[in-house]
Amino acid sequence: MSKNINTASARAFEPEFVEKLKDIFEQRILFNQVLGLKIDQLGAEEVTGHIDMRRELIGHFAHQRLHGGVISATLDAMGGLAVMAAIGARHLDEPPAQRLLRFSKLGTIDLRVDYLRPGIGERFGMRAQVMRLGSRVASTRMEFLDADGKLLSTGAAAYIVS
Amino acid sequence: MSKNINTASARAFEPEFVEKLKDIFEQRILFNQVLGLKIDQLGAEEVTGHIDMRRELIGHFAHQRLHGGVISATLDAMGGLAVMAAIGARHLDEPPAQRLLRFSKLGTIDLRVDYLRPGIGERFGMRAQVMRLGSRVASTRMEFLDADGKLLSTGAAAYIVS
Amino acid sequence: MSKNINTASARAFEPEFVEKLKDIFEQRILFNQVLGLKIDQLGAEEVTGHIDMRRELIGHFAHQRLHGGVISATLDAMGGLAVMAAIGARHLDEPPAQRLLRFSKLGTIDLRVDYLRPGIGERFGMRAQVMRLGSRVASTRMEFLDADGKLLSTGAAAYIVS
Amino acid sequence: MSKNINTASARAFEPEFVEKLKDIFEQRILFNQVLGLKIDQLGAEEVTGHIDMRRELIGHFAHQRLHGGVISATLDAMGGLAVMAAIGARHLDEPPAQRLLRFSKLGTIDLRVDYLRPGIGERFGMRAQVMRLGSRVASTRMEFLDADGKLLSTGAAAYIVS
């Protein structure tokens, strides 16, 4: 599928911005801690992350499958992170702390998740991409993959950004 | 909005069926335990439940708001429960244990959640309704409410029922 | 399902506003003419309309069924109309012509349609309701019914309003 | 974004199959004629098509924009076509006429469309991909592009296949 986004970021994020964004995302958003969400890469056009399978995340007692809600929750979170990275890249002139304040204004408008294959495995990867960043609304696409890169679920979401 | 569903169940579920379904839903689906999901009513056309606010469910550190993923996860789970109740009502001739086996065949095809208002409060209620139960696919609508019955989020989902 | 919206409009729309909105919606949005979309009721909290079956709207040559795209197109249009009516009701202090200008700023962010039953019949009704009207985003729910009021499809959409 | 699908079709479709599928899709599904839908490529993993702008397809009188319903209708149709091609590729052992009968059993379960940018231009392209083809349900992703390949809308849909 086409991308319509320049994948080469003009400039990389400062370590301070990355560190603080990781702290907010992985620690201070408490439910992300429950999910075990970890950021892997933080680019202006794509962010990636992962979660590890744990007993608490099981949705189907008989099959040791990941709960669908774990998938929808991580895809929503990753879509929001992608929007935050895109906003961060657009405002590189602002000091990191000021840029991060924009995170608290971000809200999910709506979310769609397509469950393609059961979530079985030890580790799962997520990828999110901003399809369009407007002044008021951002649209994203997300993917949930197993450790071999096989696509398990896809998602789409809209976020309010101002 | 219209309902197009006869809200009077022909017959109530047996206590054994209700008890076992509650055990599966509230205990054995481990992530539902993390969410704190509790079933309130189990009808052939509508199911209701609730969750209590807890620190781990916070999504927005600054505002003490529920994480959007908690909402999507509970709405997905409640939609599935509504389908299970509708299937259970259709097969009242089967022994409860056999009917419950059908639960393990249920899978979410896709889910949409619309986030209308921030999830702030001590307790939240959920409601799910089966819009159509086919031989292979079921469609549901769900609502996420605050303690005063104010609508915070709505959802729609499709399930494979085989 | 709950409504959380006061269904009694404070005041009715002026005939001039209704007439001009009908003209825009039924005539000047040319594809709505192709669909044969007609407004039946225009309230601040709910709008209703209908379309008549025509040969060009067929999607399934073998079964004389309505094309799914006719359903998605009418539900999108009706959701937008519901938002327009809600905005119109919020700005009753403005002259009708000025209020109608707001229509040209309305845009669909995203749309979901659930196809429950095949679209067979001579006439179909639509209903749309604004679930939340914010300063930037509005969310709606829509229904597509047959002549007997049987629910054939449901929809949900988000619109940008400013 | 990842594809997880082998893009090299094992074998091409017979001219008879392609011709008849085009006839059904472009002519016999009457509303597709209204939309002016044309198939460009028909592969087991991806199908492409286009429509030309016409006055009747306008949704916004002031801006000469394509009606959102034209986009949702074409994306739904293209997703269904992609599923049909995927089914056709899976049953290459069947005579073309028999394979085409499977088309009449296909139904859309639900559809999501994200409107990213206004539909302005003389010609628009569409692309649809099957993300998963199961024995009962297929999931697709679709794209709606302008003549320069710029992404205007994205979609996702689920179809019942048996």
Side-chain angles (χ1 to χ4, degrees):
Chain A
M1 308 292 267
S2 66
K3 281 202 41 196
N4 290 87
I5 284 178
N6 177 10
T7 47
S9 293
R11 276 162 52 193
F13 294 118
E14 313 88 329
E16 183 193 346
F17 178 79
V18 173
E19 203 177 308
K20 286 196 172 150
L21 188 52
K22 270 177 93 90
D23 177 58
I24 291 174
F25 190 77
E26 299 181 356
Q27 306 297 331
R28 295 175 66 191
I29 297 179
L30 295 169
F31 192 64
N32 284 359
Q33 261 193 55
V34 172
L35 298 167
L37 255 174
K38 299 289 172 194
I39 299 175
D40 290 330
Q41 286 183 297
L42 204 63
E45 289 86 15
E46 189 175 276
V47 297
T48 60
H50 72 270
I51 60 168
D52 286 320
M53 187 57 168
R54 287 179 4 250
R55 225 181 90 80
E56 303 95 283
L57 304 183
I58 288 178
H60 204 303
F61 55 100
H63 305 295
Q64 306 290 310
R65 282 186 204 159
L66 209 56
H67 192 287
V70 174
I71 296 172
S72 63
T74 57
L75 291 186
D76 183 1
M78 291 301 290
L81 183 70
V83 175
M84 186 55 211
I87 293 173
R90 185 176 280 187
H91 297 275
L92 279 176
D93 51 313
E94 293 177 2
Q98 190 182 330
R99 241 179 294 148
L100 289 165
L101 279 181
R102 294 177 177 276
F103 207 5
S104 71
K105 292 181 189 161
L106 200 67
T108 313
I109 298 171
D110 55 52
L111 168 74
R112 173 179 172 118
V113 179
D114 287 82
Y115 298 96
L116 306 174
R117 299 174 183 89
I120 297 172
E122 293 303 306
R123 174 167 286 199
F124 303 97
M126 291 88 64
R127 201 179 287 173
Q129 213 174 28
V130 177
M131 305 311 283
R132 181 176 172 272
L133 175 61
S135 58
R136 292 166 296 172
V137 173
S139 297
T140 66
R141 269 192 181 179
M142 300 84 75
E143 296 188 343
F144 194 91
L145 312 142
D146 73 9
D148 301 324
K150 191 174 175 180
L151 196 53
L152 304 184
S153 292
T154 57
Y159 299 85
I160 190 118
V161 295
S162 74
Chain B
M1 309 291 268
S2 65
K3 282 200 46 196
N4 290 90
I5 283 177
N6 177 10
T7 47
S9 293
R11 275 163 52 191
F13 293 119
E14 313 87 329
E16 183 193 346
F17 179 79
V18 173
E19 203 177 308
K20 285 194 174 151
L21 188 51
K22 269 177 93 91
D23 177 58
I24 291 175
F25 190 77
E26 298 181 357
Q27 306 297 331
R28 295 175 67 191
I29 298 181
L30 295 169
F31 192 63
N32 284 0
Q33 263 193 54
V34 173
L35 298 168
L37 256 175
K38 299 291 172 194
I39 299 175
D40 290 328
Q41 287 183 296
L42 204 61
E45 289 86 15
E46 188 175 278
V47 297
T48 60
H50 72 271
I51 60 168
D52 285 321
M53 188 56 169
R54 282 175 13 243
R55 225 180 88 82
E56 303 95 282
L57 305 183
I58 288 178
H60 204 303
F61 55 100
H63 305 294
Q64 306 291 312
R65 283 186 204 158
L66 210 56
H67 192 288
V70 174
I71 296 172
S72 63
T74 57
L75 291 186
D76 183 1
M78 291 299 292
L81 182 70
V83 175
M84 186 54 211
I87 293 173
R90 186 177 279 186
H91 297 275
L92 279 176
D93 52 313
E94 293 177 4
Q98 190 181 331
R99 240 179 295 148
L100 289 164
L101 279 180
R102 295 178 177 273
F103 207 6
S104 70
K105 291 181 189 161
L106 200 67
T108 313
I109 297 171
D110 55 51
L111 169 73
R112 172 179 173 118
V113 179
D114 287 82
Y115 298 96
L116 306 175
R117 298 174 184 90
I120 297 172
E122 293 304 305
R123 174 168 286 199
F124 302 98
M126 292 88 64
R127 201 179 288 176
Q129 211 175 29
V130 177
M131 305 310 284
R132 182 177 170 271
L133 175 61
S135 58
R136 293 165 296 172
V137 172
S139 298
T140 66
R141 270 192 180 178
M142 298 85 75
E143 297 187 343
F144 194 90
L145 312 143
D146 72 9
D148 301 325
K150 193 174 174 180
L151 195 54
L152 304 183
S153 292
T154 56
Y159 299 85
I160 188 117
V161 294
S162 83
Chain C
M1 309 291 267
S2 65
K3 282 200 45 195
N4 289 91
I5 284 177
N6 177 10
T7 47
S9 293
R11 275 161 54 190
F13 294 119
E14 312 87 330
E16 182 193 347
F17 178 79
V18 172
E19 203 177 308
K20 285 195 174 151
L21 188 52
K22 269 177 94 89
D23 177 59
I24 291 174
F25 191 76
E26 298 181 357
Q27 305 298 331
R28 295 174 68 189
I29 298 179
L30 295 169
F31 192 63
N32 284 0
Q33 262 193 54
V34 173
L35 298 167
L37 256 174
K38 299 290 173 194
I39 299 175
D40 290 329
Q41 287 183 295
L42 204 62
E45 290 84 15
E46 189 175 277
V47 297
T48 60
H50 72 271
I51 60 167
D52 286 319
M53 187 57 169
R54 285 179 5 249
R55 226 181 88 81
E56 303 95 281
L57 305 183
I58 288 178
H60 204 303
F61 55 100
H63 305 294
Q64 305 293 311
R65 281 186 205 159
L66 210 56
H67 192 287
V70 174
I71 296 172
S72 63
T74 57
L75 291 186
D76 183 1
M78 291 300 293
L81 182 70
V83 175
M84 186 53 211
I87 293 173
R90 185 175 281 187
H91 297 276
L92 279 176
D93 51 313
E94 293 177 1
Q98 190 182 329
R99 240 179 293 149
L100 289 165
L101 279 180
R102 296 179 176 274
F103 206 6
S104 71
K105 292 181 188 159
L106 200 69
T108 314
I109 298 171
D110 56 50
L111 169 73
R112 172 181 173 115
V113 180
D114 288 80
Y115 298 95
L116 306 174
R117 298 175 184 90
I120 297 173
E122 292 305 305
R123 175 167 285 197
F124 303 98
M126 291 88 64
R127 203 180 286 174
Q129 212 175 28
V130 177
M131 306 310 283
R132 182 177 171 271
L133 175 61
S135 58
R136 293 165 296 172
V137 173
S139 297
T140 66
R141 269 192 181 178
M142 298 85 75
E143 297 188 343
F144 194 90
L145 312 143
D146 72 9
D148 301 324
K150 193 174 175 180
L151 196 53
L152 304 184
S153 293
T154 57
Y159 299 85
I160 189 120
V161 294
S162 73
Chain D
M1 307 293 268
S2 65
K3 280 201 44 195
N4 290 87
I5 284 177
N6 177 10
T7 46
S9 294
R11 276 162 54 193
F13 294 118
E14 313 88 329
E16 182 193 348
F17 178 79
V18 173
E19 204 177 308
K20 286 195 172 150
L21 188 53
K22 269 177 93 90
D23 177 58
I24 291 174
F25 190 77
E26 298 180 358
Q27 306 297 331
R28 295 174 67 191
I29 298 180
L30 295 170
F31 192 64
N32 284 359
Q33 262 193 55
V34 173
L35 298 167
L37 256 174
K38 299 291 173 194
I39 299 175
D40 290 330
Q41 287 184 297
L42 205 61
E45 290 86 15
E46 189 175 277
V47 297
T48 60
H50 72 271
I51 60 167
D52 286 321
M53 187 56 168
R54 283 175 13 246
R55 227 181 88 81
E56 303 95 284
L57 305 183
I58 288 178
H60 203 304
F61 55 100
H63 306 295
Q64 306 291 311
R65 282 186 204 157
L66 210 55
H67 192 287
V70 174
I71 297 172
S72 63
T74 57
L75 291 186
D76 183 1
M78 292 300 292
L81 182 70
V83 175
M84 185 54 212
I87 293 172
R90 186 176 279 186
H91 297 276
L92 278 176
D93 52 313
E94 292 177 3
Q98 189 181 332
R99 239 180 293 149
L100 289 165
L101 279 181
R102 296 178 176 274
F103 207 4
S104 71
K105 292 182 189 159
L106 200 66
T108 314
I109 297 170
D110 55 52
L111 169 73
R112 173 179 173 117
V113 179
D114 288 81
Y115 298 95
L116 306 174
R117 298 174 184 91
I120 297 172
E122 293 303 306
R123 174 167 286 198
F124 302 98
M126 291 87 64
R127 202 179 286 174
Q129 213 175 27
V130 177
M131 306 310 283
R132 181 175 172 271
L133 175 60
S135 58
R136 292 164 297 170
V137 173
S139 297
T140 66
R141 268 192 182 179
M142 299 84 77
E143 296 188 343
F144 194 90
L145 312 142
D146 72 9
D148 301 324
K150 191 174 174 180
L151 196 53
L152 304 183
S153 293
T154 56
Y159 299 85
I160 189 117
V161 295
S162 75

